Amino acid sequence: MSDSSYTQERGVAVSAIETPTGDELLKILTALGNPHRMRIVAALTQGRNYVSRLAREIGMSRPLLHMHLQRLEAAGLVVGSLELSDSGKAMKFFEVAPFACALTPQAVAEAAGTLTDQDQDENQHGKARTQ
């Protein structure tokens, strides 16, 4: 990905100008393919929020919210940061990362050409174990 795209240590966010790789596109689509994660992104478009308050606002347990936030963060769609409150309590804040991805037949075709063979490797390993 070029310097113009947004990236972070573990995640991938894609600029509207470039086509994501197949693996990046799968991460993004998988992350957004869950209604809870779509609601989380929607809530975070209103501004950054910390886990406990976000959990109350969405009506979700903190552990479940944390799992969804980790998946969104791994896909580069949200960014988390740990901050100390005035009382010294550690609070994890999340905000939406700048991302845009044009989903067109051409973009999917280009991304498909760059997929790694992870699924193929898993299938071969699975067959080897069952034989």
Side-chain angles (χ1 to χ4, degrees), residues 13-35:
V14 180
S15 162
I17 298 169
E18 60 188 84
T19 302
T21 66
D23 295 335
E24 291 168 344
L25 184 60
L26 285 176
K27 271 188 167 183
I28 292 166
L29 294 176
T30 299
L32 291 175
N34 180 287

Side-chain angles (χ1 to χ4, degrees), residues 102-118:
L103 192 57
T104 65
Q106 182 62 32
V108 171
E110 288 178 32
T114 65
L115 285 169
T116 60
D117 291 333
Q118 290 175 352

Side-chain angles (χ1 to χ4, degrees), residues 27-109:
K27 271 188 167 183
I28 292 166
L29 294 176
T30 299
L32 291 175
N34 180 287
H36 296 300
R37 291 193 282 271
M38 286 183 70
R39 288 184 189 102
I40 292 166
V41 171
L44 290 174
T45 62
Q46 304 302 311
R48 63 194 290 270
N49 207 342
Y50 62 95
V51 174
S52 294
R53 184 177 358 157
L54 186 58
R56 285 191 302 273
E57 289 175 4
I58 294 177
M60 180 181 293
S61 71
R62 284 189 317 225
L64 182 58
L65 175 62
H66 227 290
M67 185 270 304
H68 286 301
L69 286 167
Q70 286 174 334
R71 296 223 173 131
L72 289 166
E73 192 172 28
L77 302 175
V78 301
V79 177
S81 61
L82 197 58
E83 299 178 19
L84 291 178
S85 68
D86 293 335
S87 65
K89 181 180 174 184
M91 300 172 66
K92 183 90 181 225
F93 280 84
F94 283 89
E95 61 188 314
V96 174
F99 69 90
C101 182
L103 192 57
T104 65
Q106 182 62 32
V108 171

Side-chain angles (χ1 to χ4, degrees), residues 117-130:
D117 291 333
Q118 290 175 352
D119 290 338
Q120 191 176 44
D121 290 344
E122 288 173 10
N123 289 339
Q124 288 174 354
H125 292 299
K127 287 177 185 174
R129 280 180 275 198
T130 60

